[in-house]
């Protein structure tokens, strides 16, 4: 249940939403259209900002096509590894390129919000990074079109997800991974907890933290550990605005779509494949680019720790066996939350 806020707080949130929409509309000037695909009139749309993801892209596209995505919108932020060429050959993709600052565009949110405004109005839209694979209990037989139909039938405006980091048994960077391969062949384990969460005022957005990155990299500074809650799938309107990735958005009521693990709202999980072998070299690159985090210098220690190729596996690590396992662990909702299945 959403807590009431003051009239003044409500006014400030409306004002913030309008400012975010305006800066997103202006950001369109930084985007150069590379490929205009044929956007279908119905079906689920996927939106993504990426850079140098030629290795991950083949499986990402295969996974979400199989899941029922009808069209992809990509903003390529200056890739130089063949990503743009790969995307330009995909008939179900619309692609823009930009050399502008990812950080100054609110970590790509300004660009994506404009694309949402232009193509996503009154459509079911999924925001996902290339290292995120959305799963839910029953996703092996019930694809995204069936999921959104069930959500609409029950009056839900969106679908929340826990971002669950997957990692290998051995040291980071020592495995091999090739384009088109299932990342779960390499990243076999995850932390089933602990997780903690609070609602932030006045937006009412969830703040969920914990898991392996906190255990290994932020044990002494838990307040800096990554935010793990997302609302990636939503029936979009032009008046909506993303505030912080898909961790939070406005209007305020939308943040209550997801109430976290063990909650009552229908939910799934993002398999987060950040720790594929290339993470070691990419961390050095991103530390130098300083395009992530509001205060990137404060996270040099995190990048350097990843560059040292640590072992994330521990005696409490859980080997992944499928979405039903995550439902049994109360990390995602059971399929009965959406479908009448015993």
């Amino acid at each position: 249940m959403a807590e009431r806020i003051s009239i003044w707080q409500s006014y400030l949130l409306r004002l913030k939403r309008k400012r975010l929409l305006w800066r997103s509309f202006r950001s369109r000037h930084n985007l150069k259209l590379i490929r205009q695909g044929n956007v279908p009139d119905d079906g689920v749309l996927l939106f993504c900002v990426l850079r140098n993801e030629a290795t991950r892209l083949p499986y990402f596209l295969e996974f979400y096509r199989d899941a029922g995505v009808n069209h992809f919108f990509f903003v390529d932020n200056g890739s130089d590894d063949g990503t743009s060429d790969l995307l330009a050959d995909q008939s179900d993709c619309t692609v823009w390129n930009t050399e502008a600052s990812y950080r100054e565009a609110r970590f790509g949110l300004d660009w994506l919000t404009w694309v949402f405004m232009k193509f996503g109005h009154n459509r079911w839209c999924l925001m996902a990074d290339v290292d995120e694979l959305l799963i839910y209990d029953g996703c092996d037989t019930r694809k995204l079109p069936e999921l959104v139909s069930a959500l609409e039938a029950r009056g839900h405006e969106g679908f929340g997800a826990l971002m669950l980091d997957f990692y290998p048994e051995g040291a980071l960077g020592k495995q091999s991974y090739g384009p088109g391969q299932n990342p779960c062949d390499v990243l076999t384990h995850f932390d089933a907890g602990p997780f903690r969460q609070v609602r932030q005022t006045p937006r009412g957005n969830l703040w969920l933290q914990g898991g392996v990155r906190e255990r290994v990299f932020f044990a002494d500074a838990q307040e800096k550990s990554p935010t793990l809650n997302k609302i990636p799938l939503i029936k979009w309107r032009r008046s909506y605005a993303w505030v912080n990735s898909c961790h939070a958005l406005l209007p305020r009521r939308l943040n209550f779509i997801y109430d976290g693990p063990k909650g009552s709202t229908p939910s799934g999980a993002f398999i987060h494949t950040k720790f594929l072998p290339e993470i070691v070299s990419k961390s050095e690159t991103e530390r130098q680019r300083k395009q992530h985090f509001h205060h990137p210098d404060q996270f040099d220690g995190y990048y350097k720790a990843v560059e040292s190729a640590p072992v994330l596996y521990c005696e409490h690590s859980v080997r992944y066996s499928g979405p039903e396992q995550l439902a049994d662990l109360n990390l995602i909702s059971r399929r009965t939350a959406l479908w009448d299945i015993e």
Side-chain angles (χ1 to χ4, degrees), residues 114-329:
W114 176 76
V115 180
F116 269 87
M117 293 164 65
K118 184 173 178 64
F119 293 99
H121 179 64
N122 206 32
R123 299 286 300 270
W124 278 95
C125 300
L126 172 63
M127 184 195 293
D129 293 336
V130 181
D131 61 6
E132 295 174 334
L133 305 174
L134 183 64
I135 59 170
Y136 46 90
D137 192 19
C139 63
D140 52 339
T141 57
R142 307 251 184 161
K143 304 302 182 182
L144 286 171
E146 292 177 273
L147 173 62
V148 299
S149 293
L151 290 168
E152 276 202 286
R154 288 156 179 77
H156 297 292
E157 295 182 86
F159 188 71
L162 164 67
M163 188 164 64
L164 197 59
D165 291 294
F166 279 39
Y167 50 86
E169 284 194 62
L172 296 183
K174 305 303 182 183
Q175 303 75 32
S176 61
Y177 175 82
Q181 184 180 1
N182 185 343
C184 292
D185 293 343
V186 177
L187 309 177
T188 53
H189 289 74
F190 64 94
D191 279 24
F195 299 105
R196 67 188 186 284
Q197 63 187 54
V198 296
R199 287 278 176 195
Q200 294 189 304
T201 302
R203 290 198 300 264
N205 58 295
L206 201 64
W207 191 18
L208 173 65
Q209 295 174 287
V212 63
R213 278 185 286 171
E214 181 170 291
R215 169 170 64 82
V216 177
F217 302 113
F218 297 97
D220 297 326
Q222 293 184 346
E223 72 282 357
K224 294 182 180 179
S225 71
T227 303
L228 303 179
N229 55 283
K230 291 200 168 187
I231 304 175
L233 183 62
I234 190 166
K235 183 72 172 292
W236 189 254
R237 300 288 188 274
R238 287 195 188 97
S239 57
Y240 296 173
W242 297 108
V243 179
N244 177 19
S245 181
C246 52
H247 303 304
L249 65 163
L250 293 171
R252 180 176 183 266
R253 73 173 194 282
L254 299 173
N255 292 311
F256 295 87
I257 287 172
Y258 181 46
D259 56 11
K262 301 183 181 180
S264 59
T265 54
S267 67
F270 266 140
I271 294 177
H272 192 209
T273 68
K274 182 181 184 70
F275 294 114
L276 284 177
E278 62 186 24
I279 183 62
V280 175
S281 60
K282 278 196 169 187
S283 290
E284 181 178 3
T285 300
E286 292 307 321
R287 176 167 57 86
Q288 295 170 355
R289 290 182 71 238
K290 298 184 182 298
Q291 289 295 294
H292 293 269
F293 305 114
H294 291 287
H295 304 286
D297 289 338
Q298 296 180 10
F299 290 86
D300 277 358
Y302 166 64
Y303 283 124
K304 289 178 180 178
V306 175
E307 291 167 38
S308 71
V311 175
L312 306 186
Y313 179 87
C314 74
E315 61 180 355
H316 302 297
S317 298
V318 179
R319 178 177 286 274
Y320 179 63
S321 62
E324 187 174 353
Q325 173 197 35
L326 302 186
D328 290 340
L329 291 168

Side-chain angles (χ1 to χ4, degrees), residues 2-14 200-204 250 252 256:
E3 295 183 7
R4 295 180 63 86
I5 58 175
S6 69
I7 294 175
W8 176 244
Q9 287 174 316
S10 295
Y11 169 76
L12 290 178
L13 290 179
R14 287 196 300 273
Q200 294 189 304
T201 302
R203 290 198 300 264
L250 293 171
R252 180 176 183 266
F256 295 87

